[in-house]
Amino acid sequence: MGISEKVASYLEKGSWIRKMFEEGARLKAQFGEQNVYDFSLGNPPEEPPREFLEEIRSLLDRPGIHRYMPNAGFPEVREAVARSVAAESGLAVEAQHVVMTVGAGGALNVALKALLDPGEEVVLVAPFFVEYRFYVDNHGGESVVVSSSEDFSLDLEALARAINQRTKAVILNSPNNPTGVVYSEEQIRALGELLREKGKALGRDIYLLSDEPYRRLLYDGISFPHVFRHVDNAIIATSHSKDLALAGERIGYLVASPRCADLERLMAAMVFANRTLGFVNAPAMMQLAVASLQGVSIDIASYQRRRDRLYELLTGVGFQTMKPQGAFYLFPRSPIANDITFVQAAQRRHILVAPGTGFGCPGHFRIAYSVPMDMIERSVPAWEALAGEFGLKPL
Ligand code: PLP
């Protein structure tokens, strides 16, 4: 066989994901897009904000912007990001603490390459974004999975038990994909203390990699605790894939807290990783376009309306789910233990959702409501029929 045995095994293990997508495509071809309710992907359906399109138009005539640049990105863009993070965190964040990256996915890979030696461990909190395990493996690390509490908040005792001599980092994602949970200020503070104490006891630096692409998608006026305020060795990985609906443009960034251990060498290592992973630098026009848009985002109120409608719909027919505080996902309990079987039953009703198993949390399923409102309305009879099939009763 030509390809790597490891990659072959990943393809095999993930083959049910491929089968699900193939089945979704088949349903759409057979019954028409209008009659399939696709809640499977977190892909914002709206156009980016008007301000972004204006920026891009004005850049078209600007000379000299398409060339190579410093690997960390344009200095003025890094400055704009630093100003915004400094204002939010209250810390003296500067341009030299920022690396512009190819999306949040690129940012996480760059940070992991900069941090990991072979066999070092990275703690993931389940449920987690599917790609984390692969990203950790890309750089020779080992993933250690810790479950969250019943209500999907952090289980700090379980986290404490998971940290040992080989731990290099914890990856946290808030607002969370797939649960929509925003970790509280108290939890982030406690996590900061835990990492500080463990680091001291073990005589090593343990980093928090805070994955925040949904940072601006917050509901009900909830505030977002800034990790830099509570965690010394914190690195933020994020992007404008969701808040500016630019997922295909691949623009994001890394920011290290000015309180990080070994800060200068950490930054040098991340710039080196950005270069040698072959990204070289983040897309030039996108960097320039987002520089002045750090305070801009898509219409959050319309996401909140979709969240409210779906929450009302699902609980109304008997599904058990928490109300998300951010991001654009719901993570209800599957009415049967086997979430893959449940997801297949949903497909037969033309509802496409993702099984919790894929996020390290079986017995649940994920609904992405980054979909048009009219699709939610069209899906109502299918949800009612699905709930009826599993004998659910309105709560
Ligand atoms: N992290 C989480 C939790 C995500 O949900 C996603 C994308 O869905 C990413 C990272 C990757 O984001 P990007 O498209 O900016 O690479």
Side-chain angles (χ1 to χ4, degrees):
M1 177 147 64
I3 69 165
S4 128
E5 281 179 25
K6 186 159 82 175
V7 173
S9 81
Y10 290 161
L11 292 176
E12 187 49 43
K13 277 191 214 132
S15 64
W16 56 268
I17 301 181
R18 200 171 57 242
K19 284 196 203 109
M20 264 187 44
F21 282 117
E22 281 165 5
E23 181 56 11
R26 190 191 68 74
L27 286 172
K28 285 179 190 168
Q30 188 176 351
F31 297 100
E33 296 258 350
Q34 286 288 306
N35 301 309
V36 178
Y37 318 113
D38 191 348
F39 295 97
S40 63
L41 274 183
N43 200 4
E46 50 278 291
E47 291 302 307
R50 177 184 46 79
E51 293 93 328
F52 168 80
L53 301 173
E54 282 166 6
E55 282 292 332
I56 287 287
R57 274 188 210 103
S58 79
L59 286 170
L60 289 177
D61 294 323
R62 192 148 138 200
I65 64 170
H66 304 293
R67 304 174 182 145
Y68 284 126
M69 69 178 82
N71 298 118
F74 287 114
E76 68 269 32
V77 178
R78 296 168 71 200
E79 254 160 48
V81 169
R83 264 197 308 277
S84 153
V85 181
E88 284 175 354
S89 65
L91 263 64
V93 179
E94 294 172 13
Q96 75 228 29
H97 307 140
V98 177
V99 181
M100 300 307 294
T101 63
V102 177
L108 289 164
N109 273 281
V110 165
L112 289 167
K113 181 173 174 64
L115 292 176
L116 288 177
D117 272 316
E120 285 192 314
E121 294 180 355
V122 178
V123 178
L124 310 179
V125 178
F128 53 81
F129 178 52
V130 190
E131 306 293 54
Y132 289 162
R133 275 182 186 279
F134 301 119
Y135 293 171
V136 170
D137 177 71
N138 281 346
H139 308 291
E142 306 275 344
S143 292
V144 173
V145 178
V146 167
S147 295
S148 39
S149 307
E150 258 308 273
D151 61 358
F152 298 128
S153 61
L154 294 178
D155 182 342
L156 287 152
E157 284 173 18
L159 272 166
R161 283 194 298 275
I163 294 173
N164 63 58
Q165 264 312 332
R166 297 202 304 166
T167 308
K168 185 45 97 45
V170 175
I171 301 184
L172 208 64
N173 168 222
S174 179
N176 187 266
N177 171 11
T179 64
V181 160
V182 175
Y183 299 121
S184 69
E185 185 110 38
E186 293 72 49
Q187 288 225 301
I188 299 296
R189 186 181 296 120
L191 178 65
E193 271 162 31
L194 173 68
L195 295 183
R196 214 170 294 128
E197 277 166 20
K198 285 279 182 186
K200 219 182 271 171
L202 295 165
R204 56 191 276 119
D205 296 316
I206 301 170
Y207 291 82
L208 176 69
L209 207 40
S210 185
D211 180 24
E212 304 182 359
Y214 303 96
R215 154 86 179 82
R216 295 191 197 285
L217 276 80
L218 300 169
Y219 307 125
D220 306 321
I222 192 176
S223 64
F224 183 81
H226 204 287
V227 291
F228 283 5
R229 293 211 191 110
H230 303 296
V231 187
D232 295 339
N233 290 325
I235 304 171
I236 294 173
T238 190
S239 74
H240 295 295
S241 295
K242 318 289 176 174
D243 62 13
L244 294 176
L246 293 177
E249 300 295 355
R250 315 305 305 132
I251 183 69
Y253 56 84
L254 283 164
V255 196
S257 164
R259 294 181 182 151
C260 262
D262 209 8
L263 181 60
E264 221 169 286
R265 290 199 331 139
L266 172 67
M267 295 315 302
M270 294 203 292
V271 175
F272 170 83
N274 207 31
R275 183 184 108 212
T276 56
L277 284 171
F279 297 127
V280 182
N281 56 254
M285 275 185 89
M286 291 302 133
Q287 287 192 42
L288 294 167
V290 301
S292 63
L293 305 181
Q294 291 306 302
V296 176
S297 48
I298 45 158
D299 178 13
I300 311 292
S302 98
Y303 274 105
Q304 184 160 330
R305 282 195 293 279
R306 285 175 258 177
R307 176 203 66 164
D308 290 345
R309 178 67 185 110
L310 253 181
Y311 179 78
E312 170 199 58
L313 164 60
L314 289 165
T315 52
V317 298
F319 286 98
Q320 283 178 34
T321 186
M322 285 191 21
K323 199 170 197 176
Q325 299 160 297
F328 43 56
Y329 307 99
L330 279 151
F331 199 56
R333 209 172 263 287
S334 163
I336 51 173
N338 188 328
D339 49 304
I340 297 180
T341 304
F342 172 73
V343 163
Q344 285 163 343
Q347 273 184 350
R348 286 194 289 279
R349 306 272 176 194
H350 298 185
I351 295 173
L352 309 182
V353 290
T357 297
F359 303 89
C361 191
H364 293 77
F365 64 101
R366 189 194 73 172
I367 301 175
Y369 53 89
S370 50
V371 297
M373 190 62 129
D374 65 308
M375 194 193 91
I376 298 178
E377 295 303 342
R378 274 186 282 116
S379 72
V380 172
W383 284 110
E384 286 169 349
L386 185 63
E389 180 181 334
F390 287 92
L392 299 182
K393 301 265 181 309
L395 299 175

